[in-house]
Amino acid sequence: MATAISANKAELIAIADSVAKEKLIDKAIVIEAMEDAIQRAAKNRYGIENDIRAKLDPNTGDLRLWRVVEVVEAVDDYFKQVDLKGAQKLQKDAAIGDFIVDPLPPIEFGRIQAQASKQIIFQKVRDAERERQHEEFKDRVNEIITGVVKRVEFGHIVVDLGRAEGVIRRDQQIPREIVRVGDRVRSIILNVRRENRGPQIFLSRAHPEFMKKLFAQEVPEIYDGIIEIKAAARDPGSRAKIGVISHDGGIDPVGACVGMKGSRVQAVVQEMQGEKIDIIPWSPDIATFVVNALQPANVSRVVIDEEDDRIEVVVPDDQLSLAIGRRGQNVRLASQLTGKAIDILTEADASEKRQKEFVQNSEMFQNELDVDETLAQLLVAEGFGSLEEVAYVDLSEIAEIEGFDEDLGAELQNRAQEALERREEANRTLRRELGVEDDLATMPYMTEAMLVTLGKAGIKTLDDLADLATDELVEKKRAEPRRRNEDAPKRPEHKGGVLAEYGLSDEQGNEIIMAARAHWFADEEPAPAAGAEDAVADSEQ
């Protein structure tokens, strides 16, 4: 085409219609791209300093080209300004300060100008197409979508979704699954991200949410909300667990998910390449849910440690390997399903651990409270495990122990409080030896034991404490389930914040840090008000 302008008017409109339909974008965007290309070509022809506008009628194809100039008394910029006399030649009623239109003749496009205009239009249309793709897919996260494998690049699968492309990264694929170009695959939209090269649509076949959505497609009760999947965990391609609950007492959630002769669950298993699925009744009682999650192993008892956010599960000796599973798979999935770190112990292990704790606590009470072995063992047998529990529990709880009375209980509480004071004084001496400033002791929730821990970590001044983030101070240690396979690689231990062992909340940690930073703002003297220095000078004179 020799020129973009000299083309038939109807042809221009037909091109705009065709591009808009092909790219599924608004025709107005294509018309705007054409106008922009014409404006740039006109600026190259008449000078880029000019303020040139172009308008293409979307119905008739008529093109108007003009230059906008300002009417001024004295012209400084001949490209964008005109004097009153020259302005009135263009517009009789022109006045100083007006912006008027100076019509320009159509321009002829050479090969270079036509190519440049073509690139501008293509870029505008491409940007509009990318924005349309982002708007279309951004609200479809966690939705299952079917596409055709377009290509495989460096282990990542590129999927043609019809109006866009998605990618299944290597870590979001089912291990050992063979996918070929042209295969139809189902996946879940994991994330839609706007990037310079266009929207990136990340898909997944390994995410637990993919399994939940597959069940929703196969089980009408889940789709209708009668049955709810409360939790899900997967070891992609190998095994998975889901926790389900029924909101209708007459419907068995496990049976509904399994289906007649296992038809419903088998449809999901086949889509996930034979991945075995354990369907477990969900319970709001965490102990019951843990017992269910460890199926098929039988559990003797469950001990919940809320302070460390761990669960200790005791199983018969012959159930240990079944509870842990091959390479720790069963306990790992149960831990993911419940959101708790799970320790698996045999009856013998649990008995040994209880005996060790009993002896340690008995010896501690003997030494700290200056009592005989029998009395110390009675306290431990009644569930007392620390000096704080003895010192601050209601007196009646000690007096009610068989063989105890209120006088003995009061004496034990006094001794426990004195022992705690001795500990506090010993810690105070130690933290001063470590060089921890006394100012840190004024921080909220801070104890001498905490100050010793801070000192050992090199945090000795208010500035040291103020420089910490909340998670660096109080983040809890992320506990991993205990592993019995000695050959399995160990994950690096996450120790948590400096004061993680003291069980402070994020809110308390934030309050401590803000209190430590208060002196930064107190040191800033307010700026004197305007004229204050002059007033002081006048008063001195």
Side-chain angles (χ1 to χ4, degrees):
M1 178 169 76
T3 71
I5 304 302
S6 61
N8 184 280
K9 296 178 182 179
E11 185 181 346
L12 284 177
I13 301 304
I15 292 172
D17 286 334
S18 175
V19 172
K21 289 178 182 178
E22 180 185 350
K23 301 298 184 180
L24 299 173
I25 59 177
D26 192 348
K27 175 183 173 182
I29 295 175
V30 183
I31 295 292
E32 183 183 342
M34 289 180 167
E35 291 173 348
D36 188 39
I38 294 168
Q39 284 176 196
R40 296 195 186 190
K43 284 187 176 183
N44 289 334
R45 170 67 177 81
Y46 294 110
I48 60 173
E49 299 86 353
N50 291 286
D51 184 4
I52 296 177
R53 313 287 176 86
K55 183 66 177 176
L56 184 65
D57 191 304
N59 298 315
T60 66
D62 291 332
L63 175 69
R64 291 174 55 231
L65 197 64
W66 69 89
R67 179 173 68 111
V68 177
V69 290
E70 182 183 7
V71 182
V72 295
E73 291 184 2
V75 177
D76 293 327
D77 185 347
Y78 288 93
F79 294 102
K80 297 180 181 179
Q81 295 176 341
V82 65
D83 58 22
L84 184 58
K85 183 178 179 181
Q88 289 178 344
K89 291 180 182 179
L90 299 173
Q91 185 176 316
K92 291 183 180 181
D93 59 349
I96 300 297
D98 290 347
F99 287 87
I100 63 172
V101 172
D102 180 13
L104 296 174
I107 60 171
E108 291 293 326
F109 276 47
R111 183 179 60 82
I112 296 177
Q113 290 89 344
Q115 186 65 27
S117 299
K118 183 179 177 182
Q119 291 298 326
I120 293 170
I121 294 172
F122 281 176
Q123 183 62 44
K124 286 271 188 180
V125 170
R126 191 180 300 114
D127 291 344
E129 185 181 14
R130 289 172 175 174
E131 184 62 28
R132 189 265 305 161
Q133 290 174 351
H134 182 265
E135 290 298 316
E136 179 180 347
F137 287 94
K138 71 176 183 178
D139 296 325
R140 297 178 64 184
V141 173
N142 286 340
E143 179 181 316
I144 282 187
I145 193 167
T146 302
V148 178
V149 176
K150 192 171 183 179
R151 60 185 181 276
V152 179
E153 297 177 342
F154 306 106
H156 306 313
I157 302 172
V158 179
V159 182
D160 184 357
L161 303 176
R163 297 185 178 183
E165 287 184 356
V167 61
I168 308 177
R169 299 175 65 87
R170 189 179 306 170
D171 60 343
Q172 294 300 324
Q173 298 170 23
I174 297 175
R176 296 176 296 281
E177 181 180 22
I178 299 174
V179 178
R180 297 181 178 87
V181 174
D183 288 351
R184 294 184 65 83
V185 295
R186 280 200 290 179
S187 54
I188 191 170
I189 300 176
L190 200 61
N191 188 21
V192 179
R193 199 162 59 211
R194 181 187 272 114
E195 294 186 1
N196 292 334
R197 64 179 182 271
Q200 297 298 300
I201 303 171
F202 296 100
L203 310 174
S204 174
R205 285 178 56 80
H207 198 276
E209 197 66 30
F210 178 60
M211 177 177 63
K212 291 168 69 173
K213 293 295 182 181
L214 289 175
F215 268 105
Q217 290 183 349
E218 298 294 336
V219 183
E221 292 86 349
I222 294 178
Y223 182 83
D224 294 336
I226 300 171
I227 293 174
E228 182 182 357
I229 300 178
K230 300 288 286 186
R234 289 182 66 187
D235 189 352
S238 177
R239 192 173 177 186
K241 291 177 183 282
I242 61 169
V244 294
I245 186 172
S246 174
H247 298 297
D248 184 338
I251 297 179
D252 173 25
V254 175
C257 291
V258 172
M260 186 70 67
K261 296 182 179 179
S263 58
R264 291 175 173 178
V265 71
Q266 281 305 314
V268 178
V269 168
Q270 289 174 9
E271 179 62 39
M272 299 196 306
Q273 302 299 303
E275 191 171 312
K276 296 180 178 65
I277 303 174
D278 297 335
I279 304 173
I280 298 159
W282 184 85
S283 172
D285 177 52
I286 188 63
T288 302
F289 189 34
V290 167
V291 171
N292 294 339
L294 284 170
Q295 292 178 3
N298 295 321
V299 175
S300 300
R301 64 179 179 277
V302 175
V303 180
I304 300 174
D305 186 344
E306 295 181 355
E307 185 175 339
D308 289 339
D309 202 28
R310 299 186 75 92
I311 295 178
E312 185 179 283
V313 177
V314 181
V315 299
D317 291 358
D318 61 347
Q319 295 286 302
L320 179 62
S321 59
L322 191 60
I324 293 175
R326 182 171 173 266
R327 296 183 179 177
Q329 185 184 66
N330 193 52
V331 67
R332 183 171 64 253
L333 288 175
S335 178
Q336 293 174 12
L337 196 69
T338 59
K340 303 286 185 180
I342 299 176
D343 287 339
I344 306 292
L345 302 177
T346 64
E347 294 281 6
D349 290 336
S351 177
E352 181 183 346
K353 182 180 178 182
R354 287 197 305 273
Q355 185 63 29
K356 185 177 180 180
E357 289 177 350
F358 188 89
V359 172
Q360 288 177 341
N361 289 337
S362 296
E363 290 177 350
M364 182 268 294
F365 283 141
Q366 283 181 258
N367 295 330
E368 299 288 356
L369 301 181
D370 192 22
V371 296
D372 60 28
E373 183 179 1
T374 302
L375 196 151
Q377 291 178 350
L378 278 173
L379 285 173
V380 177
E382 289 296 325
F384 291 93
S386 68
L387 289 174
E388 287 80 4
E389 291 176 0
V390 176
Y392 302 115
V393 76
D394 189 89
L395 178 60
S396 61
E397 292 192 28
I398 301 178
E400 288 172 358
I401 299 175
E402 186 176 355
F404 285 46
D405 55 27
E406 288 194 1
D407 290 340
L408 178 56
E411 176 62 25
L412 289 175
Q413 286 196 320
N414 288 335
R415 292 187 184 186
Q417 291 170 5
E418 289 173 0
L420 289 172
E421 289 174 2
R422 289 196 299 272
R423 280 188 183 178
E424 192 80 351
E425 184 59 37
N427 283 326
R428 184 178 295 111
T429 302
L430 178 55
R431 65 97 172 166
R432 285 174 176 168
E433 291 175 356
L434 290 170
V436 179
E437 294 181 351
D438 290 341
D439 288 342
L440 268 68
T442 64
M443 297 296 100
Y445 312 110
M446 197 66 67
T447 65
E448 293 294 341
M450 293 180 188
L451 294 174
V452 170
T453 303
L454 289 175
K456 290 179 179 179
I459 301 166
K460 302 180 181 182
T461 67
L462 283 179
D463 286 332
D464 293 339
L465 182 58
D467 283 335
L468 295 179
T470 302
D471 58 345
E472 293 175 317
L473 183 67
V474 300
E475 184 183 26
K476 290 184 178 180
K477 174 182 177 180
R478 285 201 296 270
E480 296 290 343
R482 181 175 297 179
R483 307 187 68 167
R484 294 285 179 155
N485 187 353
E486 299 298 334
D487 297 330
K490 294 182 179 180
R491 298 180 182 178
E493 184 181 14
H494 176 77
K495 297 182 178 179
V498 180
L499 299 181
E501 62 184 287
Y502 297 98
L504 293 169
S505 66
D506 287 347
E507 290 76 14
Q508 290 172 326
N510 189 54
E511 190 175 341
I512 292 172
I513 290 173
M514 293 309 295
R517 293 175 180 174
H519 73 285
W520 289 351
F521 308 102
D523 292 342
E524 296 178 2
E525 296 183 1
E533 294 181 359
D534 295 338
V536 172
D538 292 341
S539 64
E540 290 177 351
Q541 291 176 358

